[in-house]
Amino acid sequence: QQQVKQSPQSLIVQKGGISIINCAYENTAFDYFPWYQQFPGKGPALLIAIRPDVSEKKEGRFTISFNKSAKQFSLHIMDSQPGDSATYFCAASMNYGQNFVFGPGTRLSVLP
Amino acid sequence: DSGVTQTPKHLITATGQRVTLRCSPRSGDLSVYWYQQSLDQGLQFLIQYYNGEERAKGNILERFSAQQFPDLHSELNLSSLELGDSALYFCASSVDSGATQYFGPGTRLLVL
């Protein structure tokens, strides 16, 4: 129940295309859903996050879509750029709770 | 820059040895997390401390131990090192459990 499932494991997109990464969770007590971006040899960095009281959050080219009834959330990267090539992790937590769970990650490659 | 510092950046040692990795959390953060990331692997949660006390335990081997000191910095001790312990070790901090985690740059450990 504490797992966060993430797909696809890897993704190849052409420059200018849309990258979509999906995550699903089971625990309905989760109330905070961040996405992290990690470049090779670097630590993960917070990219964007959402709480379940909204269905969508957009920051620049990055958008989180959240479907509370389906217990799913996704990251959309519009106009994908080669510089977006990285590993993306979704995560879920209960605010001020003891659980912060990461998905297994998606390796995104954006071809020039 | 996340504000989380980790030392050393790189560490090369031999099998059977013992090493200590150090982490200083962001100012004001009480919670520290340790993760192991092997090549092409996801983030494996090891252990969490909150204000000096162990809060949660993940897939941490018995050969590994950690502590958080009164000044809130944390150390991860790895002993009887094996080749398979070669990995990136990340420290993250947050203001409280379940809050956004901010990752340090990591310590790259190579066991020869």
Side-chain angles (χ1 to χ4, degrees), chain A residues 32 34 36 38 40-46 49 87 89 93-100 102-105 107, chain B residues 9 33 35 37 40-43 45 48 55-56 88 90 95-106 108:
Chain A
Y32 178 65
Y36 285 80
Q38 184 183 25
K42 304 293 185 182
L46 180 66
T87 299
F89 295 94
S93 78
M94 289 173 273
N95 201 20
Y96 301 109
Q98 296 187 20
N99 297 292
F100 200 109
F102 283 89
R107 177 174 287 184
Chain B
K9 193 172 183 179
Y33 308 77
Y35 293 87
Q37 187 176 44
D40 294 333
Q41 295 296 312
L43 293 161
F45 169 66
Q48 177 201 357
R55 175 65 69 93
L88 269 168
F90 288 105
V95 65
D96 198 346
S97 294
T100 300
Q101 292 186 23
Y102 295 89
F103 283 78
R108 185 177 294 277

Tab-separated table of all heavy atoms in Angstrom, chain A residues 32 34 36 38 40-46 49 87 89 93-100 102-105 107, chain B residues 9 33 35 37 40-43 45 48 55-56 88 90 95-106 108:
chain	number	residue	atom	x	y	z
A	32	TYR	N	0.491	14.671	-0.838
A	32	TYR	CA	1.509	15.532	-1.424
A	32	TYR	C	2.258	14.716	-2.456
A	32	TYR	O	2.724	13.607	-2.152
A	32	TYR	CB	2.454	16.038	-0.325
A	32	TYR	CG	3.570	16.911	-0.818
A	32	TYR	CD1	3.319	18.153	-1.387
A	32	TYR	CD2	4.893	16.500	-0.703
A	32	TYR	CE1	4.357	18.955	-1.830
A	32	TYR	CE2	5.928	17.296	-1.142
A	32	TYR	CZ	5.662	18.519	-1.707
A	32	TYR	OH	6.690	19.305	-2.153
A	34	PRO	N	5.184	15.133	-5.218
A	34	PRO	CA	6.234	15.886	-5.914
A	34	PRO	C	6.868	15.060	-7.037
A	34	PRO	O	6.805	13.830	-7.042
A	34	PRO	CB	7.260	16.131	-4.803
A	34	PRO	CG	7.104	14.958	-3.892
A	34	PRO	CD	5.677	14.482	-4.023
A	36	TYR	N	10.667	14.742	-8.979
A	36	TYR	CA	12.070	15.099	-8.889
A	36	TYR	C	12.748	14.804	-10.223
A	36	TYR	O	12.417	13.851	-10.927
A	36	TYR	CB	12.765	14.301	-7.788
A	36	TYR	CG	12.443	14.765	-6.390
A	36	TYR	CD1	11.257	14.391	-5.753
A	36	TYR	CD2	13.330	15.604	-5.706
A	36	TYR	CE1	10.970	14.835	-4.476
A	36	TYR	CE2	13.036	16.041	-4.416
A	36	TYR	CZ	11.863	15.647	-3.817
A	36	TYR	OH	11.577	16.084	-2.549
A	38	GLN	N	16.575	14.212	-11.934
A	38	GLN	CA	17.958	13.898	-11.563
A	38	GLN	C	18.818	13.767	-12.810
A	38	GLN	O	18.537	12.942	-13.688
A	38	GLN	CB	18.043	12.598	-10.754
A	38	GLN	CG	19.457	12.293	-10.270
A	38	GLN	CD	19.551	10.979	-9.527
A	38	GLN	OE1	18.750	10.069	-9.724
A	38	GLN	NE2	20.543	10.870	-8.655
A	40	PRO	N	22.638	12.838	-14.404
A	40	PRO	CA	23.672	11.852	-14.025
A	40	PRO	C	24.703	12.439	-13.081
A	40	PRO	O	25.227	13.542	-13.314
A	40	PRO	CB	24.292	11.482	-15.383
A	40	PRO	CG	23.198	11.695	-16.361
A	40	PRO	CD	22.438	12.894	-15.857
A	41	GLY	N	24.974	11.711	-12.009
A	41	GLY	CA	25.990	12.143	-11.047
A	41	GLY	C	25.550	13.238	-10.113
A	41	GLY	O	26.344	13.708	-9.287
A	42	LYS	N	24.299	13.666	-10.198
A	42	LYS	CA	23.788	14.734	-9.341
A	42	LYS	C	22.679	14.205	-8.449
A	42	LYS	O	22.116	13.140	-8.687
A	42	LYS	CB	23.229	15.888	-10.192
A	42	LYS	CG	24.223	16.471	-11.181
A	42	LYS	CD	25.354	17.167	-10.475
A	42	LYS	CE	26.279	17.844	-11.483
A	42	LYS	NZ	27.430	18.499	-10.798
A	43	GLY	N	22.375	14.962	-7.414
A	43	GLY	CA	21.264	14.603	-6.558
A	43	GLY	C	19.933	14.975	-7.185
A	43	GLY	O	19.858	15.908	-7.984
A	44	PRO	N	18.868	14.252	-6.850
A	44	PRO	CA	17.533	14.624	-7.355
A	44	PRO	C	17.162	16.025	-6.889
A	44	PRO	O	17.489	16.423	-5.763
A	44	PRO	CB	16.616	13.572	-6.717
A	44	PRO	CG	17.518	12.431	-6.359
A	44	PRO	CD	18.829	13.060	-5.996
A	45	ALA	N	16.487	16.749	-7.740
A	45	ALA	CA	16.053	18.105	-7.420
A	45	ALA	C	14.550	18.226	-7.631
A	45	ALA	O	14.014	17.712	-8.628
A	45	ALA	CB	16.792	19.127	-8.282
A	46	LEU	N	13.893	18.885	-6.691
A	46	LEU	CA	12.448	19.073	-6.807
A	46	LEU	C	12.121	19.855	-8.072
A	46	LEU	O	12.669	20.926	-8.312
A	46	LEU	CB	11.914	19.812	-5.579
A	46	LEU	CG	10.412	20.080	-5.578
A	46	LEU	CD1	9.639	18.776	-5.488
A	46	LEU	CD2	10.046	21.010	-4.421
A	49	ALA	N	5.382	20.101	-7.752
A	49	ALA	CA	4.611	19.276	-6.824
A	49	ALA	C	3.146	19.705	-6.838
A	49	ALA	O	2.828	20.842	-7.205
A	49	ALA	CB	5.186	19.371	-5.409
A	87	THR	N	16.645	11.540	-15.397
A	87	THR	CA	15.761	10.566	-14.781
A	87	THR	C	14.752	11.308	-13.917
A	87	THR	O	15.125	12.216	-13.168
A	87	THR	CB	16.538	9.554	-13.932
A	87	THR	OG1	17.458	8.846	-14.784
A	87	THR	CG2	15.593	8.546	-13.295
A	89	PHE	N	11.666	11.093	-11.097
A	89	PHE	CA	11.064	10.292	-10.037
A	89	PHE	C	9.792	10.963	-9.568
A	89	PHE	O	9.805	12.159	-9.247
A	89	PHE	CB	12.010	10.164	-8.833
A	89	PHE	CG	13.274	9.412	-9.100
A	89	PHE	CD1	14.443	10.077	-9.470
A	89	PHE	CD2	13.322	8.028	-8.972
A	89	PHE	CE1	15.619	9.386	-9.708
A	89	PHE	CE2	14.499	7.332	-9.207
A	89	PHE	CZ	15.647	8.011	-9.578
A	93	SER	N	3.642	11.461	-0.396
A	93	SER	CA	3.820	11.480	1.047
A	93	SER	C	2.549	11.964	1.728
A	93	SER	O	1.651	12.513	1.101
A	93	SER	CB	4.984	12.379	1.448
A	93	SER	OG	4.609	13.741	1.407
A	94	MET	N	2.527	11.696	3.023
A	94	MET	CA	1.474	12.252	3.871
A	94	MET	C	2.118	13.416	4.598
A	94	MET	O	3.109	13.235	5.299
A	94	MET	CB	0.982	11.188	4.849
A	94	MET	CG	0.184	10.104	4.186
A	94	MET	SD	-0.213	8.760	5.312
A	94	MET	CE	1.258	7.746	5.120
A	95	ASN	N	1.605	14.585	4.411
A	95	ASN	CA	2.218	15.758	4.986
A	95	ASN	C	2.377	15.591	6.484
A	95	ASN	O	1.428	15.253	7.190
A	95	ASN	CB	1.358	16.985	4.683
A	95	ASN	CG	2.156	18.252	4.806
A	95	ASN	OD1	3.384	18.240	4.754
A	95	ASN	ND2	1.478	19.363	4.988
A	96	TYR	N	3.613	15.798	6.939
A	96	TYR	CA	3.958	15.650	8.335
A	96	TYR	C	3.736	14.228	8.830
A	96	TYR	O	3.667	13.992	10.023
A	96	TYR	CB	3.214	16.667	9.204
A	96	TYR	CG	3.552	18.067	8.762
A	96	TYR	CD1	2.618	18.847	8.111
A	96	TYR	CD2	4.826	18.588	8.955
A	96	TYR	CE1	2.941	20.122	7.664
A	96	TYR	CE2	5.161	19.860	8.506
A	96	TYR	CZ	4.204	20.614	7.875
A	96	TYR	OH	4.520	21.869	7.432
A	97	GLY	N	3.625	13.308	7.944
A	97	GLY	CA	3.563	11.887	8.290
A	97	GLY	C	4.939	11.284	8.190
A	97	GLY	O	5.930	11.981	8.009
A	98	GLN	N	5.020	10.004	8.310
A	98	GLN	CA	6.316	9.353	8.331
A	98	GLN	C	6.650	8.660	7.027
A	98	GLN	O	7.632	7.938	6.953
A	98	GLN	CB	6.361	8.345	9.470
A	98	GLN	CG	6.241	8.997	10.835
A	98	GLN	CD	6.453	8.003	11.938
A	98	GLN	OE1	7.027	6.946	11.719
A	98	GLN	NE2	5.985	8.318	13.126
A	99	ASN	N	5.866	8.871	6.025
A	99	ASN	CA	6.073	8.142	4.787
A	99	ASN	C	6.342	9.081	3.633
A	99	ASN	O	5.608	10.016	3.383
A	99	ASN	CB	4.842	7.308	4.454
A	99	ASN	CG	4.581	6.263	5.510
A	99	ASN	OD1	5.336	5.330	5.653
A	99	ASN	ND2	3.517	6.452	6.256
A	100	PHE	N	7.438	8.830	2.950
A	100	PHE	CA	7.774	9.583	1.747
A	100	PHE	C	8.259	8.527	0.782
A	100	PHE	O	9.354	7.994	0.946
A	100	PHE	CB	8.849	10.619	2.046
A	100	PHE	CG	8.919	11.729	1.039
A	100	PHE	CD1	8.488	13.005	1.377
A	100	PHE	CD2	9.428	11.512	-0.225
A	100	PHE	CE1	8.559	14.046	0.457
A	100	PHE	CE2	9.496	12.547	-1.149
A	100	PHE	CZ	9.059	13.816	-0.802
A	102	PHE	N	9.145	7.019	-3.050
A	102	PHE	CA	9.550	7.358	-4.413
A	102	PHE	C	9.160	6.254	-5.392
A	102	PHE	O	9.206	5.069	-5.054
A	102	PHE	CB	11.067	7.559	-4.491
A	102	PHE	CG	11.541	8.871	-3.952
A	102	PHE	CD1	11.864	9.005	-2.612
A	102	PHE	CD2	11.667	9.976	-4.770
A	102	PHE	CE1	12.301	10.221	-2.101
A	102	PHE	CE2	12.098	11.191	-4.282
A	102	PHE	CZ	12.410	11.310	-2.942
A	103	GLY	N	8.801	6.643	-6.593
A	103	GLY	CA	8.649	5.690	-7.677
A	103	GLY	C	10.014	5.221	-8.143
A	103	GLY	O	11.034	5.803	-7.767
A	104	PRO	N	10.068	4.208	-9.005
A	104	PRO	CA	11.357	3.646	-9.445
A	104	PRO	C	12.099	4.495	-10.460
A	104	PRO	O	13.269	4.231	-10.741
A	104	PRO	CB	10.948	2.299	-10.053
A	104	PRO	CG	9.527	2.486	-10.463
A	104	PRO	CD	8.920	3.423	-9.470
A	105	GLY	N	11.467	5.497	-11.012
A	105	GLY	CA	12.153	6.392	-11.926
A	105	GLY	C	11.895	6.089	-13.391
A	105	GLY	O	11.622	4.951	-13.779
A	107	ARG	N	13.746	7.076	-17.137
A	107	ARG	CA	14.871	7.720	-17.823
A	107	ARG	C	14.371	8.303	-19.135
A	107	ARG	O	13.944	7.569	-20.021
A	107	ARG	CB	15.991	6.709	-18.070
A	107	ARG	CG	17.158	7.303	-18.849
A	107	ARG	CD	18.308	6.331	-18.958
A	107	ARG	NE	19.010	6.182	-17.692
A	107	ARG	CZ	20.105	5.446	-17.540
A	107	ARG	NH1	20.602	4.792	-18.554
A	107	ARG	NH2	20.682	5.364	-16.366
B	9	LYS	N	33.033	14.059	-1.426
B	9	LYS	CA	32.343	13.936	-2.707
B	9	LYS	C	32.614	12.574	-3.331
B	9	LYS	O	31.742	11.970	-3.940
B	9	LYS	CB	32.799	15.052	-3.642
B	9	LYS	CG	31.945	15.206	-4.878
B	9	LYS	CD	32.331	16.457	-5.654
B	9	LYS	CE	31.416	16.646	-6.853
B	9	LYS	NZ	31.752	17.877	-7.608
B	33	TYR	N	17.482	12.151	5.777
B	33	TYR	CA	17.256	10.851	5.153
B	33	TYR	C	18.535	10.415	4.446
B	33	TYR	O	19.252	11.246	3.884
B	33	TYR	CB	16.149	10.942	4.097
B	33	TYR	CG	14.860	11.566	4.546
B	33	TYR	CD1	14.750	12.949	4.680
B	33	TYR	CD2	13.733	10.800	4.814
B	33	TYR	CE1	13.568	13.549	5.082
B	33	TYR	CE2	12.539	11.383	5.203
B	33	TYR	CZ	12.467	12.753	5.331
B	33	TYR	OH	11.289	13.348	5.720
B	35	TYR	N	19.875	7.727	1.383
B	35	TYR	CA	19.493	6.873	0.269
B	35	TYR	C	20.737	6.288	-0.387
B	35	TYR	O	21.801	6.909	-0.412
B	35	TYR	CB	18.741	7.670	-0.807
B	35	TYR	CG	17.386	8.183	-0.388
B	35	TYR	CD1	17.256	9.405	0.262
B	35	TYR	CD2	16.236	7.461	-0.674
B	35	TYR	CE1	16.011	9.882	0.633
B	35	TYR	CE2	14.985	7.939	-0.314
B	35	TYR	CZ	14.883	9.148	0.340
B	35	TYR	OH	13.643	9.619	0.697
B	37	GLN	N	21.958	4.752	-4.125
B	37	GLN	CA	21.578	4.635	-5.527
B	37	GLN	C	22.711	3.944	-6.279
B	37	GLN	O	23.764	4.530	-6.496
B	37	GLN	CB	21.284	6.006	-6.133
B	37	GLN	CG	20.727	5.919	-7.554
B	37	GLN	CD	20.337	7.282	-8.107
B	37	GLN	OE1	21.073	8.250	-7.962
B	37	GLN	NE2	19.172	7.368	-8.730
B	40	ASP	N	22.226	2.842	-12.434
B	40	ASP	CA	20.962	2.578	-13.126
B	40	ASP	C	19.855	2.088	-12.208
B	40	ASP	O	18.904	1.468	-12.657
B	40	ASP	CB	21.158	1.568	-14.260
B	40	ASP	CG	22.026	2.134	-15.369
B	40	ASP	OD1	22.034	3.365	-15.526
B	40	ASP	OD2	22.704	1.345	-16.046
B	41	GLN	N	19.978	2.368	-10.930
B	41	GLN	CA	18.937	1.941	-9.999
B	41	GLN	C	18.212	3.146	-9.434
B	41	GLN	O	18.665	4.280	-9.529
B	41	GLN	CB	19.556	1.139	-8.858
B	41	GLN	CG	20.177	-0.165	-9.309
B	41	GLN	CD	19.143	-1.118	-9.881
B	41	GLN	OE1	18.096	-1.349	-9.311
B	41	GLN	NE2	19.440	-1.661	-11.054
B	42	GLY	N	17.099	2.870	-8.848
B	42	GLY	CA	16.331	3.927	-8.210
B	42	GLY	C	16.909	4.284	-6.857
B	42	GLY	O	17.986	3.825	-6.469
B	43	LEU	N	16.174	5.090	-6.159
B	43	LEU	CA	16.591	5.539	-4.845
B	43	LEU	C	16.123	4.535	-3.802
B	43	LEU	O	14.933	4.354	-3.599
B	43	LEU	CB	15.987	6.907	-4.552
B	43	LEU	CG	16.515	8.038	-5.415
B	43	LEU	CD1	15.556	9.215	-5.379
B	43	LEU	CD2	17.887	8.475	-4.933
B	45	PHE	N	15.729	3.814	-0.101
B	45	PHE	CA	15.696	4.479	1.194
B	45	PHE	C	16.401	3.625	2.236
B	45	PHE	O	16.116	2.431	2.372
B	45	PHE	CB	14.254	4.750	1.584
B	45	PHE	CG	14.065	5.193	3.008
B	45	PHE	CD1	14.571	6.413	3.439
B	45	PHE	CD2	13.400	4.401	3.917
B	45	PHE	CE1	14.405	6.825	4.745
B	45	PHE	CE2	13.214	4.805	5.224
B	45	PHE	CZ	13.718	6.017	5.645
B	48	GLN	N	15.939	7.229	8.211
B	48	GLN	CA	15.569	8.615	8.459
B	48	GLN	C	15.764	8.939	9.927
B	48	GLN	O	15.439	8.127	10.800
B	48	GLN	CB	14.106	8.867	8.089
B	48	GLN	CG	13.627	10.285	8.399
B	48	GLN	CD	12.124	10.409	8.512
B	48	GLN	OE1	11.387	9.448	8.304
B	48	GLN	NE2	11.654	11.606	8.835
B	55	ARG	N	13.684	7.747	12.922
B	55	ARG	CA	12.246	7.864	12.686
B	55	ARG	C	11.730	6.726	11.820
B	55	ARG	O	10.621	6.238	12.015
B	55	ARG	CB	11.964	9.209	12.011
B	55	ARG	CG	10.530	9.454	11.582
B	55	ARG	CD	9.539	9.535	12.751
B	55	ARG	NE	9.687	10.693	13.569
B	55	ARG	CZ	9.017	11.829	13.399
B	55	ARG	NH1	8.191	11.944	12.393
B	55	ARG	NH2	9.183	12.829	14.238
B	56	ALA	N	12.512	6.316	10.832
B	56	ALA	CA	12.079	5.239	9.940
B	56	ALA	C	13.291	4.504	9.395
B	56	ALA	O	14.366	5.074	9.266
B	56	ALA	CB	11.248	5.794	8.787
B	88	LEU	N	26.207	5.522	-5.249
B	88	LEU	CA	26.046	6.910	-4.821
B	88	LEU	C	25.203	6.908	-3.555
B	88	LEU	O	24.154	6.249	-3.504
B	88	LEU	CB	25.320	7.720	-5.893
B	88	LEU	CG	26.139	8.442	-6.960
B	88	LEU	CD1	25.252	8.933	-8.075
B	88	LEU	CD2	26.908	9.595	-6.353
B	90	PHE	N	23.108	9.353	-1.120
B	90	PHE	CA	22.539	10.686	-1.012
B	90	PHE	C	21.973	10.907	0.381
B	90	PHE	O	21.385	10.010	0.990
B	90	PHE	CB	21.414	10.883	-2.028
B	90	PHE	CG	21.879	10.997	-3.444
B	90	PHE	CD1	21.707	9.938	-4.324
B	90	PHE	CD2	22.497	12.144	-3.888
B	90	PHE	CE1	22.137	10.034	-5.648
B	90	PHE	CE2	22.930	12.254	-5.208
B	90	PHE	CZ	22.755	11.191	-6.076
B	95	VAL	N	11.993	19.808	6.475
B	95	VAL	CA	11.658	20.495	7.713
B	95	VAL	C	10.982	19.540	8.689
B	95	VAL	O	11.131	19.672	9.904
B	95	VAL	CB	10.772	21.724	7.419
B	95	VAL	CG1	9.429	21.301	6.852
B	95	VAL	CG2	10.599	22.578	8.640
B	96	ASP	N	10.255	18.556	8.125
B	96	ASP	CA	9.590	17.560	8.956
B	96	ASP	C	9.341	16.336	8.098
B	96	ASP	O	9.503	16.376	6.881
B	96	ASP	CB	8.276	18.124	9.501
B	96	ASP	CG	7.764	17.339	10.694
B	96	ASP	OD1	8.263	16.215	10.929
B	96	ASP	OD2	6.874	17.845	11.394
B	97	SER	N	8.963	15.253	8.713
B	97	SER	CA	8.644	14.040	7.956
B	97	SER	C	7.489	14.336	7.007
B	97	SER	O	6.525	14.999	7.371
B	97	SER	CB	8.230	12.927	8.907
B	97	SER	OG	9.303	12.533	9.717
B	98	GLY	N	7.607	13.820	5.798
B	98	GLY	CA	6.544	13.994	4.825
B	98	GLY	C	6.632	15.285	4.060
B	98	GLY	O	5.971	15.444	3.041
B	99	ALA	N	7.430	16.228	4.519
B	99	ALA	CA	7.596	17.490	3.793
B	99	ALA	C	8.593	17.300	2.649
B	99	ALA	O	9.297	16.295	2.585
B	99	ALA	CB	8.067	18.578	4.749
B	100	THR	N	8.664	18.255	1.769
B	100	THR	CA	9.553	18.170	0.613
B	100	THR	C	10.979	17.869	1.047
B	100	THR	O	11.504	18.499	1.958
B	100	THR	CB	9.539	19.488	-0.161
B	100	THR	OG1	8.211	19.746	-0.606
B	100	THR	CG2	10.470	19.422	-1.372
B	101	GLN	N	11.579	16.889	0.387
B	101	GLN	CA	12.962	16.535	0.681
B	101	GLN	C	13.890	17.245	-0.293
B	101	GLN	O	13.632	17.283	-1.493
B	101	GLN	CB	13.159	15.019	0.555
B	101	GLN	CG	12.424	14.229	1.624
B	101	GLN	CD	12.749	12.762	1.569
B	101	GLN	OE1	13.799	12.356	1.058
B	101	GLN	NE2	11.864	11.940	2.085
B	102	TYR	N	14.961	17.778	0.233
B	102	TYR	CA	15.983	18.434	-0.571
B	102	TYR	C	17.251	17.595	-0.490
B	102	TYR	O	17.726	17.302	0.604
B	102	TYR	CB	16.218	19.862	-0.078
B	102	TYR	CG	15.002	20.739	-0.273
B	102	TYR	CD1	14.017	20.825	0.711
B	102	TYR	CD2	14.821	21.444	-1.452
B	102	TYR	CE1	12.887	21.593	0.513
B	102	TYR	CE2	13.689	22.232	-1.647
B	102	TYR	CZ	12.722	22.289	-0.665
B	102	TYR	OH	11.608	23.061	-0.865
B	103	PHE	N	17.759	17.227	-1.655
B	103	PHE	CA	18.882	16.305	-1.731
B	103	PHE	C	20.215	17.022	-1.819
B	103	PHE	O	20.350	18.060	-2.462
B	103	PHE	CB	18.722	15.397	-2.955
B	103	PHE	CG	17.728	14.304	-2.773
B	103	PHE	CD1	16.361	14.567	-2.862
B	103	PHE	CD2	18.135	13.013	-2.493
B	103	PHE	CE1	15.435	13.556	-2.691
B	103	PHE	CE2	17.209	11.989	-2.324
B	103	PHE	CZ	15.858	12.274	-2.419
B	104	GLY	N	21.201	16.391	-1.194
B	104	GLY	CA	22.567	16.850	-1.348
B	104	GLY	C	23.171	16.333	-2.640
B	104	GLY	O	22.512	15.593	-3.378
B	105	PRO	N	24.416	16.691	-2.939
B	105	PRO	CA	25.060	16.299	-4.183
B	105	PRO	C	25.516	14.853	-4.210
B	105	PRO	O	25.872	14.328	-5.259
B	105	PRO	CB	26.244	17.251	-4.281
B	105	PRO	CG	26.548	17.576	-2.853
B	105	PRO	CD	25.239	17.594	-2.130
B	106	GLY	N	25.508	14.193	-3.050
B	106	GLY	CA	25.864	12.786	-3.007
B	106	GLY	C	27.332	12.521	-2.738
B	106	GLY	O	28.194	13.391	-2.936
B	108	ARG	N	30.050	9.609	-3.853
B	108	ARG	CA	30.256	8.443	-4.718
B	108	ARG	C	31.268	7.529	-4.058
B	108	ARG	O	32.431	7.908	-3.877
B	108	ARG	CB	30.743	8.856	-6.102
B	108	ARG	CG	30.867	7.690	-7.078
B	108	ARG	CD	31.288	8.162	-8.463
B	108	ARG	NE	30.258	8.982	-9.099
B	108	ARG	CZ	29.208	8.501	-9.758
B	108	ARG	NH1	29.050	7.200	-9.887
B	108	ARG	NH2	28.350	9.315	-10.322
